[in-house]
Amino acid sequence: MDPTTDNAGPSAGADTARASLEALRAEIAKAVVGQDPAVTGLVVALLCRGHVLLEGVPGVAKTLLVRALAAALELDTKRVQFTPDLMPSDVTGSLVYDARTAEFSFQPGPVFTNLLLADEINRTPPKTQSSLLEAMEERQVTVDGTPRPLPDPFLVAATQNPVEYEGTYPLPEAQLDRFLLKLTIPLPTRQDEIDVLTRHADGFNPRDLAAAGLRPVAGPAALEAARAAVAKTTVSPEITAYVVDICRATRESPSLTLGASPRGATALLATSRAWAWLTGRDYVIPDDVKALALPTLRHRVQLRPEAEMEGVTADSVITAILAQVPVPR
């Protein structure tokens, strides 16, 4: 995903917001090398008020990416290391007894932030995983019967390791469906890896982003203006039908036991609109849908065991469906 900006924006305010979000890529590149698609995916999720599942082997800068995004957007961020002994209250917060007042007061957990990094989310039991469901869907936390709203914007960026499954608790389908996008973080190219090592040799410290020259280039106001512009992005009936046909095709695929739900179709439409706006248009074209189909749908489908044994992947099935479903003219 590599947007190219033009002057087709609906208003000067929207153009300014788009330019600010475009500047994010250059700013984050001061800390993270060669992860433009992941940066763009995180921006799309923020525009759609969605959440992101980041999958990659250890050491590919997943944590650094989220921290750099928060710094460039001037947003508050917190990190939770998910472990087998983590309790739901460790994430959401709990009531604490105050001996001075003889009353219970609520102590907010790390979920009360703008960007929550849920590191290795599949290492904690389902009970703790589910503590995030209300926060992700309702944008609130209920403790002792009292709902407490979360800040806006609010995004959960959860990470998981694709190659180490011992001692993990796979996310259930219902929770996977709550993530707007699943982004795969690949190993860097040879040149990118050389650039990473060169930076470290020159004194780069990933724990000190300010020293790396990373500064805020956008804020909540720009994000809100961008969301308003995305909401005005036109979707033709033909594009809507195209999205539905793609999702219905996943339900009929012989390689899948589970296809994309109507929530998946809604998510694909939303991400396509955000992508169209980021690329400088106020209308959606089929290429926008194709660009976001893999990250939006890959975690919403389930392979048949026999297909998985034959080396079939969710990405390959969705790619084949995109090649088969008629494209509107």
Side-chain angles (χ1 to χ4, degrees), residues 82-84 120-125 129 161 164 166-169:
F82 279 68
T83 56
E120 294 190 288
I121 189 173
N122 57 336
R123 288 207 171 277
T124 199
Q129 289 178 11
N161 182 345
E164 189 179 356
E166 186 176 348
T168 63
Y169 304 83

Side-chain angles (χ1 to χ4, degrees), residues 136-325:
M136 293 169 68
E137 191 67 21
E138 307 295 336
R139 298 295 199 276
Q140 67 178 27
V141 167
T142 301
V143 176
D144 197 33
T146 303
R148 293 172 169 85
L150 294 170
D152 185 44
F154 172 68
L155 179 143
V156 174
T159 72
Q160 64 179 17
N161 182 345
V163 295
E164 189 179 356
Y165 295 106
E166 186 176 348
T168 63
Y169 304 83
L171 297 179
E173 298 303 326
Q175 186 161 357
L176 281 173
D177 207 34
R178 294 299 197 281
F179 287 99
L180 182 73
L181 299 171
K182 180 182 178 181
L183 304 176
T184 54
I185 311 296
L187 287 166
T189 64
R190 180 176 182 274
Q191 187 55 54
D192 284 345
E193 196 163 359
I194 290 173
D195 291 344
V196 170
L197 267 64
T198 301
R199 289 186 181 192
H200 280 265
D202 291 340
F204 171 71
N205 182 359
R207 295 171 185 81
D208 189 356
L209 297 180
L214 204 148
R215 299 287 183 270
V217 294
L223 192 58
E224 196 54 44
R227 286 173 171 176
V230 169
K232 297 176 183 176
T233 302
T234 304
V235 181
S236 68
E238 292 78 14
I239 292 295
T240 303
Y242 182 52
V243 170
V244 169
D245 289 343
I246 290 171
C247 292
R248 291 182 69 85
T250 65
R251 301 168 205 160
E252 298 165 2
S253 170
S255 298
L256 301 176
T257 58
L258 180 70
S261 68
R263 180 186 290 162
T266 302
L268 182 54
L269 186 64
T271 56
S272 300
R273 291 177 84 182
W275 175 246
W277 180 81
L278 278 173
T279 57
R281 280 178 281 100
D282 59 358
Y283 56 91
V284 180
I285 63 175
D287 282 350
D288 300 324
V289 180
K290 290 181 178 180
L292 271 296
L294 284 178
T296 308
L297 300 180
R298 59 165 59 110
H299 57 298
R300 303 175 192 271
V301 300
Q302 194 171 65
L303 288 168
R304 291 188 182 278
E306 56 269 28
E308 199 166 3
M309 291 176 64
E310 293 171 0
V312 176
T313 64
D315 282 16
S316 65
V317 173
I318 296 169
T319 300
I321 287 172
L322 291 174
Q324 294 166 3
V325 173

Side-chain angles (χ1 to χ4, degrees), residues 56-130:
V57 298
V60 290
K62 299 186 293 293
T63 301
L64 181 60
L65 177 63
V66 175
R67 289 180 52 238
L69 176 69
L73 276 175
E74 207 171 10
L75 297 175
D76 182 47
T77 182
K78 289 186 175 68
R79 176 180 179 272
V80 179
Q81 184 67 47
F82 279 68
T83 56
D85 60 348
L86 193 74
M87 299 296 291
S89 59
D90 295 330
V91 178
T92 60
S94 58
L95 293 175
V96 178
Y97 182 73
D98 188 339
R100 292 174 299 178
T101 62
E103 292 181 350
F104 285 92
S105 61
F106 179 67
Q107 183 67 36
V111 75
F112 286 85
T113 187
N114 298 123
L115 280 175
L116 176 67
L117 178 62
D119 217 355
E120 294 190 288
I121 189 173
N122 57 336
R123 288 207 171 277
T124 199
K127 181 178 181 179
T128 305
Q129 289 178 11
S130 65

